[in-house]
Amino acid sequence: FIELYRQPRRLLYLNFIAGLSRGFGIAMGFTVVGALFVYFLGWLAALNLPIIGEFVADIIRIVQGELTTKT
């Protein structure tokens, strides 16, 4: 720790690289978890469960409505 305090530029560089790594890891993790969630919802929709099917249909209607208003 003392060596890092003697070289403030190295400390800043290491903290910058660590921050980039954490940000990239969070983004990748969120992408994987989101993809698994969407896959799971699609699997539940394929089972034709009444409550889940209506929920997924509502989400699809909302997304399609947003897409048509923005184009």
Side-chain angles (χ1 to χ4, degrees):
F1 288 115
I2 293 171
E3 285 296 319
L4 286 176
Y5 285 121
R6 287 183 187 166
Q7 299 172 354
R9 285 186 182 182
R10 180 167 164 77
L11 179 65
L12 289 173
Y13 174 74
L14 289 176
N15 281 330
F16 178 73
I17 296 299
L20 285 177
S21 299
R22 283 187 203 107
F24 183 72
I26 289 170
M28 293 303 295
F30 182 75
T31 301
V32 169
V33 170
L36 288 174
F37 180 71
V38 169
Y39 176 77
F40 182 69
L41 276 180
W43 178 73
L44 284 177
L47 293 177
N48 288 328
L49 300 174
I51 297 172
I52 304 296
E54 291 174 15
F55 176 70
V56 173
D58 288 340
I59 291 175
I60 291 172
R61 271 188 241 120
I62 291 169
V63 170
Q64 285 178 345
E66 288 295 319
L67 288 175
T68 57
T69 59
K70 292 186 180 196
T71 57

